[in-house]
Amino acid sequence: MKILITGGAGYIGSHTLIELSNAGYKFVVFDNLSNSSKKSIKRVEKIIKTPIFFEEGDVRDKKALNKVFKKYKIDSVIHFAGLKSVSESVQNPLEYYDNNIVGTLKLLEVMKKNNCKKLVFSSSATVYNEVDAQNYTPLKENFPTGVTTNPYGRTKYFIEEILKDLCLSDLKFKIAILRYFNPVGAHESGTIGEDPNGIPNNLMPYISQTAVGKREFLSVFGGDYLTHDGTGVRDYIHVVDLANAHVKALNYLNSKNKQTANPLIVNIGTGVGYSVIDMIKAFEKVSGKKVPYKIVQRRLGDISTCYSDSSYAKEVLNWESKKTIDDMCADSWKWQSNNPNGYSKNK
């Protein structure tokens, strides 16, 4: 029996493969490579010293999914596959609804058909109501959701509601929903990391690409927020800590014998908020590189402050973050300086 990792060639997925392997799990990667590289799989193979089963395909393709489920006797799924840019979702909402929601529906249909009823879902802190995110941080799992600022957040919210309805309709489903905050960093080897296509949508690759000389300066979106330095505050979490949370969630589902009508919903963050300027200063300290930046107009869909209360993750999953802000920046810099063009030589 094996775990299917949708989107497993991507940033978070590739790091999770290492932690799953360390924990003794067997898995198959299913990825359409739209925002990832097969080279990440090859590099993970070198780290774990084990060949990885890889199938190229899209989660909206039920025929391809069915084939993989039957071929590998899939027992459970970790679902990473999805588009993930807040600003891009504002510009292309239909693409996000199709890819994220329709893709998840197709996956769930195939899971049910093949009697595979364990799922860890990659959700997001963007599901929380904007007013609560700004006025009542740290955010707790029981805070209201659904009044989001962007289509990306809405896709995650809608999928969470679908999963709740699915659990209610079929008590044999065991589902864990992990609400991520802001993943950063890279594997300590410096051989895998975040490699976005085009201009980065997330802060850390933008910082590291500026530090390595790929970009003239970092654009800081908004300098007039009600924060200690005017820039947005977020809960940044090391991607390896996040990857470990998926292993803990899978362990939880595998040990859970009692049937329930509700999925497990857990925040995955550090519980600490850092501003954009805080992250720039930390990166400059560990890298010894200057990161020039300019304050520019706010982005649509962004809020001023968002960080987690992650105490529930410790209670139910026995998980908590271990990596520091210096670890996040140092590992990001090691990845970027070793791979200035990411996985491609021609970027």
Side-chain angles (χ1 to χ4, degrees):
M1 305 294 264
K2 291 189 176 71
I3 309 160
L4 183 68
I5 315 296
T6 70
Y11 174 45
I12 301 169
S14 59
H15 287 81
T16 302
L17 301 181
I18 297 170
E19 303 310 314
L20 286 169
S21 178
N22 291 342
Y25 283 107
K26 305 296 182 184
F27 49 81
V28 179
V29 173
F30 187 79
D31 199 304
N32 67 4
L33 303 177
S34 65
N35 193 29
S36 58
S37 172
K38 201 171 178 182
K39 291 180 182 177
S40 68
I41 300 297
K42 296 298 181 185
R43 295 189 185 187
V44 171
E45 286 179 331
K46 289 182 179 179
I47 294 170
I48 66 176
K49 298 179 172 58
T50 306
I52 292 173
F53 295 103
F54 174 81
E55 299 284 344
E56 186 173 348
D58 193 294
V59 288
R60 291 166 292 186
D61 185 345
K62 286 176 67 175
K63 185 176 180 181
L65 274 175
N66 260 310
K67 190 175 179 181
V68 169
F69 270 77
K70 293 185 184 304
K71 179 178 178 180
Y72 295 100
K73 297 181 172 60
I74 299 299
D75 172 62
S76 51
V77 176
I78 300 180
H79 182 31
F80 292 113
L83 299 175
K84 60 178 184 177
S85 166
V86 167
S87 58
E88 186 181 69
S89 76
V90 174
Q91 298 165 357
N92 302 302
L94 295 182
E95 184 180 0
Y96 270 69
Y97 288 127
D98 178 49
N99 190 91
N100 294 5
I101 297 177
V102 174
T104 301
L105 285 171
K106 299 297 184 187
L107 173 65
L108 293 172
E109 289 169 4
V110 173
M111 286 179 66
K112 192 161 187 175
K113 180 179 179 180
N114 289 275
N115 199 34
C116 171
K117 298 190 175 182
K118 282 184 285 191
L119 172 71
V120 179
F121 173 61
S122 162
S123 191
S124 167
T126 56
V127 301
Y128 288 110
N129 290 1
E130 178 186 6
V131 64
D132 294 293
Q134 298 206 129
N135 298 328
Y136 299 103
T137 51
L139 296 173
K140 297 185 178 182
E141 288 85 354
N142 61 357
F143 278 22
T145 58
V147 184
T148 60
T149 62
N150 56 81
Y152 165 71
R154 277 188 282 280
T155 67
K156 293 297 186 180
Y157 168 72
F158 291 147
I159 292 168
E160 286 195 8
E161 294 300 296
I162 290 166
L163 295 177
K164 290 175 187 177
D165 288 339
L166 180 61
C167 284
L168 193 62
S169 71
D170 187 342
L171 296 181
K172 291 183 180 179
F173 267 96
K174 299 178 182 179
I175 296 175
I177 295 171
L178 305 187
R179 289 178 179 162
Y180 305 171
F181 280 70
N182 294 75
V184 296
H187 189 261
E188 62 184 4
S189 66
T191 58
I192 64 169
E194 189 169 10
D195 182 27
N197 289 334
I199 298 174
N201 290 297
N202 298 326
L203 176 64
M204 188 56 78
Y206 214 138
I207 289 177
S208 58
Q209 287 184 13
T210 304
V212 84
K214 280 194 72 177
R215 305 195 179 277
E216 184 181 353
F217 61 89
L218 166 70
S219 295
V220 177
F221 298 102
D224 58 352
Y225 287 111
L226 295 177
T227 62
H228 63 276
D229 59 21
T231 63
V233 169
R234 297 290 183 271
D235 187 336
Y236 297 95
I237 177 172
H238 198 293
V239 67
V240 173
D241 280 338
L242 178 57
N244 271 307
H246 292 81
V247 176
K248 295 285 190 177
L250 199 60
N251 291 343
Y252 173 88
L253 296 183
N254 286 332
S255 66
K256 196 171 184 301
N257 296 317
K258 186 179 178 181
Q259 292 183 332
T260 175
N262 300 303
L264 174 73
I265 299 176
V266 187
N267 284 340
I268 304 297
T270 64
V272 179
Y274 292 106
S275 74
V276 176
I277 301 299
D278 290 335
M279 296 300 287
I280 292 171
K281 289 179 179 177
F283 192 92
E284 289 179 335
K285 183 181 78 171
V286 301
S287 68
K289 295 286 185 177
K290 190 69 179 171
V291 181
Y293 67 88
K294 293 181 182 179
I295 306 291
V296 299
Q297 188 176 1
R298 295 184 185 189
R299 290 185 302 190
L300 287 172
D302 277 350
I303 60 176
S304 65
T305 303
C306 181
Y307 59 94
S308 72
D309 179 332
S310 295
S311 57
Y312 188 54
K314 185 175 182 180
E315 178 186 336
V316 296
L317 298 181
N318 191 30
W319 174 92
E320 59 184 332
S321 61
K322 297 178 180 178
K323 304 278 190 178
T324 66
I325 185 173
D326 286 352
D327 295 329
M328 299 174 202
C329 293
D331 290 339
S332 292
W333 176 238
K334 188 173 184 180
W335 153 253
Q336 190 69 68
S337 56
N338 287 348
N339 304 271
N341 296 312
Y343 293 113
S344 172
K345 295 180 180 179
N346 302 315
K347 278 190 175 180

